[in-house]
Amino acid sequence: MRKVCGDGSFREIKFKQTNSCFDASEPVNPRIRPGGHYQTHVVAEELPSLHANGEYVHQIGKPNPEHFLRGHSGSGGMCSSLNPKTIDMTTGVGPPKAGAFTKRANPPNTEFRRFYERGDLPIAINHQASGNMISWKVEPELLDYHHYLPIFFDGLREREEPYRFLAIEGAFNLLAKGGSKILPVIPQLIIPIKTALNTRDPDVIATVLKVLQELVVSGDMIGEALVPYYRQILPVLNIFKQCNMNIGDKIDYGQRKRGTLGDLISETLEIFEKHGGEDAFINIKYMIPTYESCVLN
């Protein structure tokens, strides 16, 4: 059975915009971008002002001797034991967190949800005792992949049922039956993949990685066609590459679900290198410097 539920602790998220199963989802504020980040607030006094010569300049006050750099007050050439601490012991306030691993916005406004709610997708849920399956009203190999495959890939970031199940299972079915139809659609899949990865949600990232592994091996030359787009796909993988479970000499019984993000990323990168041709490794190494070749070594 295919496991696409992350680490097994997937919890469905109910969005207030979804309403009931008989209503369409309410529109989402267009300012909320999936995976979007927001600018840090800057005090107005710290912003540059427009000078008479037409250039922006910072207002510089009269130098204060109390703020001059003194000996042993910096960190240059000093060992860690003598390096001044970045935490103010009197207030307990340290440097702010960068938030690289923090989940970002993932609003329920996917193209998949919009097309499914208005009945434009030829799919339905087939409830069976052994588990749900997709019932296709049209055979997948007869569909227009330029139209449908990007829609299903855009639904990979869904966190609510039944959209999540239909998008993931539909994407796997299309990749299994696509053959030579998949290669020309690769450029249209990059933005949905990048958007899903930018949410930085571990469950969503794990799902996208499993679909990417299936995408690379689903047809000839697909691995090579993805190489020019590594700059859009790999930055988020570089952030989460070291997210492994440190359990010592214990046994991780949940490894059958393939939910450990670090192992899943390493596995995906190895598949990229094996199927990406001679330029794959150098491009992966450029974006992820800690990656070691599984072919050359």
Side-chain angles (χ1 to χ4, degrees), residues 67-85:
H67 297 161
F68 290 168
L69 186 65
R70 294 184 174 85
H72 293 279
S73 61
S75 58
M78 301 175 64
C79 61
S80 58
S81 60
L82 298 177
N83 195 358
K85 304 299 180 182

Side-chain angles (χ1 to χ4, degrees), residues 195-266:
T195 303
L197 292 175
N198 281 341
T199 61
R200 306 197 181 185
D201 187 330
D203 283 308
V204 174
I205 294 176
T207 298
V208 174
L209 291 176
K210 293 169 186 175
V211 175
L212 281 175
Q213 294 180 14
E214 188 72 19
L215 172 66
V216 171
V217 299
S218 60
D220 297 332
M221 301 298 293
I222 292 180
E224 289 91 331
L226 283 174
V227 173
Y229 303 104
Y230 282 173
R231 293 196 176 196
Q232 283 76 35
I233 299 175
L234 299 187
V236 176
L237 305 191
N238 186 35
I239 296 174
F240 289 89
K241 187 176 183 294
Q242 305 300 329
C243 291
N244 287 316
M245 294 179 61
N246 185 7
I247 56 176
D249 59 349
K250 298 180 182 179
I251 298 176
D252 179 18
Y253 291 99
Q255 59 185 329
R256 61 185 177 86
K257 301 177 182 178
R258 301 171 64 212
T260 304
L261 214 51
D263 294 339
L264 198 56
I265 290 174
S266 299

Side-chain angles (χ1 to χ4, degrees), residues 33-82:
R33 293 188 302 110
H37 59 279
Y38 305 97
Q39 292 182 342
T40 306
H41 175 70
V42 180
V43 183
E45 289 74 12
E46 299 179 3
L47 294 175
S49 58
L50 185 62
H51 193 263
N53 59 5
E55 297 180 356
Y56 283 94
V57 296
H58 286 275
Q59 297 292 336
I60 301 178
K62 189 176 180 180
N64 186 355
E66 295 295 328
H67 297 161
F68 290 168
L69 186 65
R70 294 184 174 85
H72 293 279
S73 61
S75 58
M78 301 175 64
C79 61
S80 58
S81 60
L82 298 177

Side-chain angles (χ1 to χ4, degrees), residues 155-215:
L156 295 179
R157 64 179 177 88
E158 281 285 355
R159 294 299 308 269
E160 188 173 2
E161 303 294 348
Y163 311 102
R164 178 176 183 269
F165 166 75
L166 289 170
I168 296 173
E169 197 66 25
F172 276 110
N173 289 356
L174 289 174
L175 293 178
K177 301 291 182 65
S180 60
K181 288 185 175 182
I182 300 175
L183 181 59
V185 195
I186 293 297
Q188 297 175 246
L189 305 180
I190 302 305
I191 290 180
I193 292 173
K194 180 182 177 182
T195 303
L197 292 175
N198 281 341
T199 61
R200 306 197 181 185
D201 187 330
D203 283 308
V204 174
I205 294 176
T207 298
V208 174
L209 291 176
K210 293 169 186 175
V211 175
L212 281 175
Q213 294 180 14
E214 188 72 19
L215 172 66

